[in-house]
């Protein structure tokens, strides 16, 4: 988790922990849009008892995830490349949510899960937490921000390009295009699902979905153009934005980002476990001698006398 801040010191933003202005704005807009749909369209279909069950489910999830964050705290303090920080922790937080999309929960608890998720997105945007949205409320309660990757980090990666110097025009343009395309798929579909004329107006905007997909693909193409600086991160972002644009074209955004985080986290977590086991296996059973200490040589024993035909003569 993030260390305590030094008064007056500014720290560099960390992916998976700190959201910039654009990332915060997209999270607030996405959370508000989804909550508008839930509260105006989904909630009125439930009675008072079902709404109480939904609220209780959201409270239980808040308590459960807060306890999970406390439990995992020792494994989240060494940075994004160690323990469960980064991808593995994000996948661990998302795994229980698989019960929601596969439809095994009753309607009232499912509504509570949706309320918790979307309110967490809104909370992440307001507080500036840039990790997995499911940890936003526990992070606020505990006052500690773990590095946990999640779907909205795609917007944070786009925002990094916006902060490039003015001479890096392609990367800056790619950042704005990618952020706009991602924001479209997070904000417009929930509002289009609202009943009445309000939802119909946003539903009519669906004709612009191909433009949002094109913005993501163009962002990826711009990042593929050779430029000064590390090439590998640019290529990774370029490939990611192109794939996201193609995913939007088939109606998979933003839902496809959840399984991507889960699968990536499981793979990276497994690799960390196996590599850690190999490192432990290479550690000798006895301690190595201290630096500068003399290494004792094995004792010299007398050479055995073996009688042969030449020695018996």
């Amino acid at each position: 988790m993030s260390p305590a801040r030094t008064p007056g010191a500014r720290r560099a933003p960390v992916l998976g922990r700190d959201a910039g202005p654009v990332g915060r704005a997209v999270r607030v807009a996405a959370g508000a849009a989804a909550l508008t749909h839930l509260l105006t369209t989904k909630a009125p279909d439930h009675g008072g008892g079902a709404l109480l069950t939904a609220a209780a489910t959201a409270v239980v999830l808040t308590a459960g995830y807060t306890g999970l964050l406390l439990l995992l705290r020792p494994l989240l303090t060494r940075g994004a490349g160690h323990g469960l920080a980064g991808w593995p922790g994000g996948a661990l937080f998302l795994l229980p949510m698989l019960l929601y999309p596969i439809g095994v929960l009753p309607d009232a608890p499912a509504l509570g899960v949706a309320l918790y998720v979307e309110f967490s997105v809104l909370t992440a945007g307001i507080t500036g937490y840039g990790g997995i949205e499911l940890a936003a409320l526990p992070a606020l309660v505990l006052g500690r921000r773990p590095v946990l990757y999640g779907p909205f980090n795609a917007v944070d990666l786009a925002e990094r390009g916006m902060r490039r110097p003015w001479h890096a025009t392609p990367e800056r343009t790619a950042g704005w295009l990618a952020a706009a395309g991602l924001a479209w798929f997070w904000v417009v579909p929930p509002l289009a699902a609202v009943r009445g004329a309000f939802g119909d107006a946003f539903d009519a905007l669906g004709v612009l979905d191909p433009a949002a997909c094109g913005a993501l693909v163009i962002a990826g193409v711009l990042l593929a153009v050779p430029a000064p600086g590390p090439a590998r991160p640019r290529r990774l972002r370029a490939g990611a934005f192109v794939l996201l644009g193609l995913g939007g074209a088939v109606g998979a955004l933003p839902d496809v980002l959840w399984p991507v985080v889960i699968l990536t986290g499981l793979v990276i977590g497994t690799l960390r476990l196996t590599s850690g086991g190999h490192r432990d296996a290479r550690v000798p059973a006895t301690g190595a001698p201290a630096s500068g200490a003399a290494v004792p040589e094995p004792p010299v024993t007398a050479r055995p006398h073996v009688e042969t035909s030449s020695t018996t003569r």
Side-chain angles (χ1 to χ4, degrees):
M1 297 186 189
S2 60
R5 295 188 184 183
T6 301
R10 296 185 61 183
R11 62 182 184 182
V14 175
L15 185 67
R17 187 190 68 188
D18 307 311
V22 175
R24 295 179 68 168
V26 172
R27 286 170 172 87
V28 168
L35 286 173
T36 299
H37 169 243
L38 290 174
L39 296 177
T40 63
T41 304
K42 293 288 187 181
D45 293 338
H46 296 76
L51 292 178
L52 286 176
T53 301
T57 301
V59 172
V60 169
L61 285 173
T62 303
Y65 274 117
T66 302
L68 179 63
L69 192 57
L70 275 174
L71 183 65
L72 299 180
R73 183 174 177 176
L75 301 174
L76 297 173
T77 57
R78 298 176 57 194
H82 303 85
L84 292 177
W87 290 108
L92 192 59
F93 268 73
L94 280 176
L95 276 174
M97 290 296 156
L98 290 178
L99 296 175
Y100 175 61
I102 62 179
V104 299
L105 292 176
D107 289 343
L111 177 62
V113 171
L115 288 172
Y116 173 79
V117 172
E118 305 307 344
F119 188 73
S120 296
V121 174
L122 181 62
T123 302
I126 293 174
T127 62
Y129 177 56
I132 184 73
E133 58 271 18
L134 300 174
L137 284 170
L140 180 62
V141 171
L142 299 176
R144 306 290 290 181
R145 297 186 172 194
V147 177
L148 297 169
Y149 295 154
F152 281 91
N153 288 142
V155 180
D156 300 327
L157 285 175
E159 186 175 0
R160 286 191 169 191
M162 302 177 192
R163 296 195 294 265
R164 298 289 291 169
W166 282 107
H167 67 266
T169 301
E171 192 164 354
R172 292 178 64 92
T173 305
W176 284 105
L177 288 173
L182 290 167
W184 179 272
F185 287 108
W186 256 304
V187 176
V188 175
L191 295 178
V194 174
R195 292 173 185 163
F198 180 83
D200 294 340
F202 278 92
D203 187 53
L205 296 176
V207 296
L208 298 178
D209 286 354
C213 298
L216 285 165
V217 173
I218 293 173
V221 173
L222 289 174
L223 287 174
V225 176
R232 186 170 179 269
R234 287 173 55 88
R235 288 196 296 265
L236 289 175
R237 281 190 291 162
F241 290 150
V242 169
L243 290 176
L244 289 174
L246 297 176
V250 297
L253 274 182
D255 296 338
V256 71
L257 292 170
W258 284 38
V260 167
V261 173
I262 291 174
L263 291 176
T264 305
L266 292 177
V267 171
I268 292 180
T270 302
L271 291 176
R272 287 182 187 175
L273 286 175
T274 55
S275 63
H278 291 160
R279 285 195 299 267
D280 293 341
R282 291 195 296 267
V283 176
T286 58
S291 176
V295 180
E297 296 184 359
V300 178
T301 57
R303 189 174 180 179
H305 178 75
V306 179
E307 290 190 357
T308 64
S309 58
S310 60
T311 58
T312 55
R313 286 199 300 266

